[in-house]
Amino acid sequence: MNIILGQIDVAWEDRQTNFARLSALLANQPPRPQSLLVLPEMFSVGFSMNLAATAEEAPQPTRTFLIELAAKYAIYVIGGIVSRAIDGRGLNQAVVISPTGAEITRYTKIHPFSFANENVHFDGGTEIVTFSTEEFTVAPFICYDLRFPEVFRHAVRAGANVLVVIANWPTKRSDHWLALLQARAIENLAYVIGVNRVGTGLDTEYSGRSLVIDPHGKILLDAGGTEKLAEIEIDPKELTQYRKSFPALQDIRPGYLGLAK
């Protein structure tokens, strides 16, 4: 499967500018049909707590944009979006669109980032979701979730073999980004895709370093620190063979980490 990392410099609370930037990148580098394009957390507005500017009501302009994009190029798309919870707070979500332009599923960030008071403005999700392409089963996660390995294990137990993390991960903790993504790949015998933004949002710098990591923890693609589309092919046969030859997933003790027996 062809993976495209959409590493963009997000204009703060400016959807139209961000839509235009991404559209220009894709027009210059048209994706192959059936590719998976992954975009950063809250890619259309930045990691803002200002729900008046970021939360979207139906039909949700970011969702509409992603639907049009997916249908135009016949690709899968994962992108960050802000919705409203029943209690009025926000929901930091990853929406998944199919190559036909249909919404497949959406994941709500389980762990709002309390260090930045995200938990004050956003409600946390409760459900891990997966979706299937022709070759892989994919589970999306968002940013701070990366520090909680148990949710990734649950996704793998549900059949995931590709783990996607969309993020606004700051430069000052970029070493953690790299180490944690590699750890999630190694311990789950899975491909891991991490897509981060570049540029500056308010007073926070973002270094990019969007990555594709194989089940051994080897970095297959590093997008560096500039705005770009970076792409690579990943192989399901290699993953299947490795999981068969190395029995770590078979040796999981189901009574631990809250896993059902």
Side-chain angles (χ1 to χ4, degrees):
M1 185 177 193
N2 193 52
I3 307 298
I4 304 170
L5 312 181
Q7 182 169 278
I8 65 171
D9 184 351
V10 179
W12 193 255
E13 297 180 359
D14 188 346
R15 288 185 187 88
Q16 296 308 313
T17 294
N18 293 316
F19 294 166
R21 284 180 178 175
L22 182 58
S23 296
L25 287 170
L26 290 166
N28 187 56
Q29 189 178 329
R32 204 162 72 220
Q34 303 299 309
S35 296
L36 171 61
L37 169 65
V38 185
L39 304 172
E41 174 188 24
M42 297 169 70
F43 81 95
S44 65
V45 291
F47 189 61
S48 169
M49 301 298 104
N50 178 15
L51 293 176
T54 63
E56 300 184 12
E57 308 294 340
Q60 296 194 302
T62 297
R63 177 181 182 272
T64 299
F65 171 74
L66 294 178
I67 285 172
E68 292 172 351
L69 211 62
K72 177 179 180 179
Y73 293 107
I75 58 175
Y76 293 92
V77 180
I78 301 176
I81 190 171
V82 180
S83 301
R84 283 279 187 184
I86 295 175
D87 65 4
R89 287 191 294 169
L91 296 172
N92 186 344
Q93 298 180 317
V95 64
V96 183
I97 310 297
S98 78
T100 62
E103 180 175 331
I104 300 173
T105 190
R106 64 173 65 196
Y107 165 78
T108 300
K109 188 177 185 179
I110 291 176
H111 303 94
F113 189 37
S114 59
F115 185 76
N117 292 321
E118 185 183 8
N119 60 316
V120 174
H121 302 279
F122 287 80
D123 198 7
T126 59
E127 182 183 6
I128 292 163
V129 304
T130 65
F131 69 96
S132 294
T133 68
E134 291 183 358
E135 299 171 302
F136 293 100
T137 299
V138 184
F141 293 96
I142 301 176
C143 206
Y144 193 43
D145 288 329
L146 183 57
R147 293 184 180 273
F148 301 89
E150 60 274 12
V151 294
F152 291 82
R153 182 69 88 200
H154 278 285
V156 170
R157 296 279 287 186
N161 49 24
V162 175
L163 306 169
V164 173
V165 183
I166 64 173
N168 277 219
W169 198 282
T171 301
K172 60 186 175 183
R173 289 187 288 275
S174 60
D175 288 347
H176 296 187
W177 169 252
L178 173 61
L180 292 168
L181 287 171
Q182 287 182 295
R184 298 296 86 83
I186 293 167
E187 68 200 7
N188 290 299
L189 283 66
Y191 283 105
V192 169
I193 300 165
V195 176
N196 191 27
R197 64 160 293 180
V198 293
T200 302
L202 290 185
D203 59 350
T204 302
E205 293 184 1
Y206 300 93
S207 58
R209 297 296 306 276
S210 298
L211 302 168
V212 176
I213 300 171
D214 78 4
H216 302 275
K218 179 182 177 181
I219 296 173
L220 302 178
L221 175 64
D222 184 336
T226 58
E227 184 174 71
K228 68 180 67 170
L229 299 179
E231 57 185 301
I232 191 172
E233 189 87 15
I234 60 174
D235 184 359
K237 294 180 181 178
E238 180 179 335
L239 181 144
T240 300
Q241 181 178 0
Y242 180 48
R243 283 189 169 186
K244 285 182 178 179
S245 66
F246 191 74
L249 296 180
Q250 301 170 36
D251 293 338
I252 292 172
R253 296 282 298 277
Y256 289 85
L257 294 177
L259 295 173
K261 294 183 179 180

